Amino acid sequence: MRTEAFYGEAVADLAAKGGLRVFRQLNRQSSTPAIAVYTAPDGRRKAVTVWCSNDYLGMSKHPALIETMLRVTKEMGVGAGGVRSLSGTTDYHVMLEHELARLHDKPAALLFNSGFVANETTLSTLISRTPGMIVFSDKLIHASMIHGIRNARAEKRIFEHNDPDSLEQELRSVDARRPKLVVLEAVYSMDGDVAPLAPMLDAAERHGAMTYLDEVHAVGMYGPKGAGMADRDRVMPRVTIVQGTLGKAFGVVGGYIAASREIVDFVRQFAPGMIFSTALPPAVAATASESVRIVSRSGDLRRQLAERAERLKACLRAAGLPFMPSQSHIVPVLVGDPQRCTDICDLLLSRYSLCVQPIKFPTVARGTERLRITPAPYHSTAMMDELISALAEVWTELGLPFARRSDRREAVNA
Ligand SMILES: Cc1ncc(COP(=O)(O)O)c(C=O)c1O
C-alpha cells in the first residue's frame, strides 16, 4: 500500500461525503470579543461576527487577564521548562490548584495541559489501576472520556443518555463487590442538555459507585459561584471527581480534576498525561487563577449569559428556525445533512460575514448534523437580530424546512 496516497484518498473521500472539518483562520480581537478578522484561503481578510466560540464569557479578552499574562511572562518567561516533577511546578501552578480545589469545595485539585488530557489520563489511570473496576458511562460522553475508558481496557457498560433508570439497571446487573465508576457530563456540548445529577448520584450511591463528572461546559457559568451544575444543583459533595477546563468560560487553557487528596495524589503519581508532559507556562497558570477568582465573583456575567441564550432561543422560535431543545447556553439548530450544514455556514460567512460552526459525524450521529450557536454576554441585540434574519434568508434560499407556524411564539421584543 502506498500510504501517502491512502491518506490523501481518505481525506478526499471525507470531503466528497461533506464531512470535512474546516479550520478557518479567525483572529478574534481583544478589543471586541464577538468580532474576528477572518483570513480566507486566498489571503483576503474581512471582519466577521463569531457565533461559535467557547470563550463563553469573553474572559480570553479580559483586560485584567491580559495584564496578568504579560506581567508574569515578564517575571518568569514564556515556558515552564519542564514537566511538573522536574522544574515545571511554580508558585502559580500550586496557587491555581488551591483556587480550583476551593472553587469545587474539594480537598485537592490537579492541573493538566487541557481538559482532554485531564479526562483521558485520569480515567485511563484510575480505571486500569483499580483492581476489578467496572465503568458505567453515559452513551453521549465526550471523546476524551471515551479514549480514557478505552485505553484502560477494563470492562464497561454504557447506559442510555441522561437516564437514571438505565444507569440503575446496569449497576444492578454486576457483582455488588466490584469497584465501580460512573462517568457523565454536566452539560452535553453538542445538544446543550443537562444531566439530571441528583437521580444519577442517587443510583450511584445505592450501588457504592464512585462518580466522575465532566463540568467542561458548565464551569464558570452555572451555580452561585460558577463551579458548575453540581454547584447549581447543590450536589457537589456527592460527586467523587469533578473535571473541568480552563479554556472555555475561564478563557485561558488547561484542564483539571478536583477530588479527595488520596485520588489527586494517586493520579499525580501515576497518570502518564501528568508525568510525561511539559507543564503549562507559569503565566498561563497565574492568568487562569485570576480568571477563576474573577468569574466566581461575576454573578452578573452568568445572568447576562443566561439572558442572551434565552433571547436567542426566543428569536429562533419566533422565526420558525428548528433549534433543538437545549437547557443551557449552547443552542444547536438541526439541519440533518452534512453538506447542507457546510452550505449554510459558507453562505453565512461569505454573504453575511457571520461565522457559525457546522457539527457533523463523528461528533454527532449521522442525520443529526447541526449548527452549534453559542451566544455570549458580548453579543449585542443588534448582532443577534442580524444573525436571525440571515439564518431565515438562508433557510428560505436553500429550501430548508421551517417549524410549523403553530409551534412559534410571539416575536420577541426583549
Ligand atoms: C465535554 C468535554 N470534555 C472535555 C473537553 C476537552 O477540553 P479542552 O478543550 O480543555 O481540552 C471538551 C472539549 O471541547 C468537551 O467538550
Side-chain angles (χ1 to χ4, degrees):
M1 181 169 80
R2 284 186 51 237
T3 50
E4 303 293 325
F6 167 79
Y7 300 139
E9 280 158 22
V11 173
D13 184 45
L14 194 62
K17 290 181 179 143
L20 207 60
R21 285 173 202 263
V22 180
F23 296 76
R24 291 198 172 104
Q25 287 170 232
L26 289 168
N27 307 291
R28 289 197 313 123
Q29 304 293 291
S30 56
S31 51
T32 49
I35 306 295
V37 176
Y38 165 61
T39 306
D42 65 5
R44 271 188 288 183
R45 293 165 151 246
K46 69 172 179 174
V48 300
T49 308
V50 179
W51 286 97
C52 52
S53 170
N54 285 344
D55 186 7
Y56 292 129
L57 299 176
M59 292 305 288
S60 79
K61 320 293 178 202
H62 195 290
L65 301 190
I66 295 172
E67 197 51 46
T68 303
M69 186 78 91
L70 293 172
R71 177 175 52 77
V72 180
T73 300
K74 282 189 181 143
E75 181 196 349
M76 290 203 172
V78 295
V83 302
R84 290 287 301 276
S85 60
L86 291 177
S87 59
T89 297
T90 66
D91 290 357
Y92 293 114
H93 293 84
V94 175
M95 184 171 76
L96 175 55
E97 288 175 340
H98 287 318
E99 202 73 61
L100 293 167
R102 197 162 35 240
L103 177 71
H104 292 287
D105 293 319
K106 297 288 181 199
L110 190 62
L111 183 60
F112 299 88
N113 289 357
S114 71
F116 190 103
V117 174
N119 274 338
E120 194 284 327
T121 203
T122 301
L123 287 173
S124 64
T125 303
L126 280 180
I127 299 164
S128 65
R129 288 178 177 267
T130 310
M133 181 167 259
I134 173 162
V135 186
F136 301 82
S137 63
D138 187 284
K139 198 175 179 176
L140 293 187
I141 56 167
H142 187 253
S144 51
M145 288 177 277
I146 295 174
H147 280 276
I149 294 168
R150 209 177 271 160
N151 290 347
R153 296 171 204 273
E155 192 179 336
K156 65 166 189 286
R157 303 284 167 87
I158 295 170
F159 57 88
E160 292 304 319
H161 177 54
N162 275 350
D163 183 346
D165 294 335
S166 170
L167 171 60
E168 171 73 34
Q169 220 169 358
E170 292 297 341
L171 284 162
R172 206 180 286 154
S173 71
V174 304
D175 183 343
R177 289 162 303 181
R178 287 183 70 175
K180 304 174 194 72
L181 180 67
V182 173
V183 180
L184 64 158
E185 281 177 41
V187 174
Y188 285 82
S189 61
M190 294 302 143
D191 289 13
D193 57 344
V194 174
L197 289 181
M200 290 293 196
L201 292 166
D202 290 343
E205 284 166 3
R206 270 195 295 276
H207 296 272
M210 290 167 43
T211 44
Y212 184 97
L213 179 64
D214 175 316
E215 290 263 22
V216 158
H217 295 277
V219 282
M221 294 169 286
Y222 298 91
K225 59 176 175 156
M229 284 295 175
D231 185 25
R232 188 197 73 172
D233 294 356
R234 308 211 177 285
V235 294
M236 191 73 82
R238 300 174 61 192
V239 179
T240 318
I241 303 164
V242 180
Q243 181 271 355
T245 184
L246 298 161
K248 301 191 195 295
F250 293 126
V252 192
V253 69
Y256 64 90
I257 57 164
S260 68
R261 201 163 291 288
E262 290 80 0
I263 290 176
V264 165
D265 285 346
F266 183 86
V267 176
R268 184 189 284 116
Q269 293 301 323
F270 293 107
M274 174 76 208
I275 307 166
F276 300 116
S277 188
T278 298
L280 289 172
V284 166
T287 308
S289 286
E290 177 82 1
S291 182
V292 172
R293 278 194 294 275
I294 294 174
V295 167
S296 60
R297 292 194 302 260
S298 300
D300 271 359
L301 266 184
R302 282 184 277 287
R303 276 187 288 279
Q304 284 167 34
L305 177 72
E307 183 277 325
R308 291 286 82 183
E310 283 318 304
R311 187 179 190 278
L312 179 66
K313 290 175 199 174
C315 290
L316 288 166
R317 190 181 293 116
L321 290 158
F323 73 99
M324 296 166 69
S326 141
Q327 302 156 301
S328 67
H329 59 286
I330 296 167
V331 186
V333 177
L334 189 64
V335 178
D337 177 82
Q339 191 54 52
R340 279 277 155 108
C341 260
T342 303
D343 295 345
I344 295 168
C345 295
D346 286 351
L347 257 178
L348 288 173
L349 187 63
S350 60
R351 190 182 297 162
Y352 302 92
S353 296
L354 299 173
C355 189
V356 176
Q357 193 66 7
I359 308 288
K360 307 174 188 178
F361 179 81
T363 308
V364 295
R366 287 190 210 281
T368 70
E369 291 82 1
R370 64 197 69 173
L371 313 180
R372 179 179 182 272
I373 306 178
T374 48
Y378 48 78
H379 287 116
S380 67
T381 295
M383 286 173 176
M384 205 175 278
D385 293 346
E386 184 192 18
L387 173 71
I388 297 293
S389 81
L391 281 170
E393 283 179 28
V394 168
W395 241 249
T396 304
E397 181 166 337
L398 298 182
L400 297 166
F402 283 87
R404 285 196 313 262
R405 289 223 159 258
S406 57
D407 291 344
R408 304 183 194 186
R409 283 221 197 116
E410 294 289 292
V412 280
N413 300 310

